[in-house]
Amino acid sequence: MATRPSSLVTLATCNLNQWALDFDGNVTRILESCRQAKEKGASYRLGPELEICGYGCEDHFLENDTFDHCWESLAKLLEEGATDNLLCDFGMPVLHGGVRYNCRVICHNRKVLLIRPKTAMADNGNYREGRYFTAYSTPANSSAN
């Protein structure tokens, strides 16, 4: 009788002490969280929103350099093996078609599998995400409609 693969997933959630624009330090903390997740047997690692650049970049989200440094940091995470045998859900901003999105970037075994932009912005109280990011909506001509 063939064995059935386990349907259990061990989730590692991370609350990291990330700093705005501290790309090297943020990458170091992300790498450590991935190492700990693997050590504890996790198969899925979920990081905080905008963890690669830090949440509080404010007007630096309006600069293309911030996006470039995020991609460089993601490349380093992949090169360092953070995603080897671990599904990683990283938070980072993505510039696509001239539009800024707050995204989840899903990676596994040194490959980007999915980029998922937020569909609703926090624009109440202390939050002004709409100043920096656009909520994603499915294009009208998409087959998803």
Side-chain angles (χ1 to χ4, degrees), residues 12-28:
T13 61
C14 308
N15 185 7
L16 305 177
N17 187 21
Q18 302 299 70
W19 290 85
L21 304 176
D22 179 15
F23 295 98
D24 291 337
N26 292 348
V27 164
T28 298

Side-chain angles (χ1 to χ4, degrees), residues 16 27 31-32 111:
L16 305 177
V27 164
L31 283 168
E32 176 60 17
K111 293 181 181 154

Side-chain angles (χ1 to χ4, degrees), residues 44-77:
Y44 179 73
R45 179 240 179 237
L46 173 64
E49 184 174 10
L50 297 170
E51 67 180 312
I52 290 180
C53 60
Y55 190 84
C57 292
E58 297 186 352
D59 283 353
H60 292 286
F61 286 126
L62 303 175
E63 301 170 5
N64 288 346
D65 269 2
T66 302
F67 295 87
D68 294 342
H69 290 309
C70 285
W71 284 109
E72 291 165 357
S73 297
L74 180 63
K76 183 171 183 177
L77 291 168

Side-chain angles (χ1 to χ4, degrees), residues 33 36 70 88 94 132:
S33 73
Q36 288 182 25
C70 285
C88 291
V94 173
Y132 310 111

Side-chain angles (χ1 to χ4, degrees):
M1 183 171 173
T3 59
R4 188 173 150 193
S6 173
S7 61
L8 295 178
V9 173
T10 302
L11 171 67
T13 61
C14 308
N15 185 7
L16 305 177
N17 187 21
Q18 302 299 70
W19 290 85
L21 304 176
D22 179 15
F23 295 98
D24 291 337
N26 292 348
V27 164
T28 298
R29 288 181 286 276
I30 293 168
L31 283 168
E32 176 60 17
S33 73
C34 292
R35 186 196 64 75
Q36 288 182 25
K38 290 176 189 179
E39 184 179 278
K40 303 224 184 241
S43 50
Y44 179 73
R45 179 240 179 237
L46 173 64
E49 184 174 10
L50 297 170
E51 67 180 312
I52 290 180
C53 60
Y55 190 84
C57 292
E58 297 186 352
D59 283 353
H60 292 286
F61 286 126
L62 303 175
E63 301 170 5
N64 288 346
D65 269 2
T66 302
F67 295 87
D68 294 342
H69 290 309
C70 285
W71 284 109
E72 291 165 357
S73 297
L74 180 63
K76 183 171 183 177
L77 291 168
L78 298 177
E79 289 165 8
E80 294 284 329
T83 65
D84 291 354
N85 301 311
L86 181 66
L87 185 64
C88 291
D89 186 336
F90 300 117
M92 68 178 258
V94 173
L95 183 65
H96 178 69
V99 181
R100 296 180 311 276
Y101 296 104
N102 179 348
C103 294
R104 305 306 306 174
V105 180
I106 313 299
C107 303
H108 186 252
N109 289 334
R110 301 179 188 224
K111 293 181 181 154
V112 174
L113 303 179
L114 173 76
I115 299 174
R116 176 65 174 144
K118 276 179 83 169
T119 57
M121 299 289 102
D123 279 321
N124 54 2
N126 292 328
Y127 300 100
R128 300 285 178 261
E129 277 189 304
R131 175 177 166 86
Y132 310 111
F133 300 109
T134 298
Y136 180 80
S137 61
T138 306
N141 61 356
S142 169
S143 63
N145 287 333

